[in-house]
Amino acid sequence: LITDLLEDPEEEIIWLTTYGGGLHRLDKRQNKIDFIPLNIKGKKAVALNCLIETHDETLWLGGADSLLRINKQTLKSESLRL
């Protein structure tokens, strides 16, 4: 179930958050979808509710019990304590 999406028209990328399936990146140029692994200790499935990008190209993802920060270029994620 897709819970939120964010389009980057310059890069032709659509970021998708899902309920129980984590984060995915749809590359419209290559016509492919990639699963983006997230750094959340002890969790295999991540229920994400929202997604936003800040001016420094950081993606922020929110879930029922999680807040994550992701660098769009490196795809490295960091789970923040609530």
Side-chain angles (χ1 to χ4, degrees):
L1 174 65
I2 295 172
T3 55
D4 203 358
L5 60 90
L6 175 70
E7 184 173 9
D8 182 341
E10 289 180 19
E11 297 292 325
E12 294 189 44
I13 299 286
I14 298 176
W15 298 91
L16 306 162
T17 56
T18 64
Y19 186 82
L23 178 66
H24 300 267
R25 176 181 60 191
L26 169 61
D27 186 330
K28 295 188 326 185
R29 291 180 186 161
Q30 296 182 16
N31 198 29
K32 72 176 196 170
I33 297 176
D34 294 314
F35 169 74
I36 308 300
L38 301 173
N39 183 19
I40 300 179
K41 293 180 173 97
K43 294 185 180 182
K44 293 185 180 180
V46 181
L48 298 171
N49 300 320
C50 55
L51 168 67
I52 193 167
E53 180 181 359
T54 55
H55 68 280
D56 62 353
E57 295 193 338
T58 298
L59 295 175
W60 289 89
L61 302 114
D65 60 355
S66 57
L67 177 64
L68 294 117
R69 170 174 51 203
I70 299 175
N71 180 304
K72 266 181 45 177
Q73 303 307 315
T74 65
L75 299 180
K76 292 191 180 198
S77 65
E78 178 184 9
S79 179
L80 304 172
R81 290 183 171 218
L82 299 178

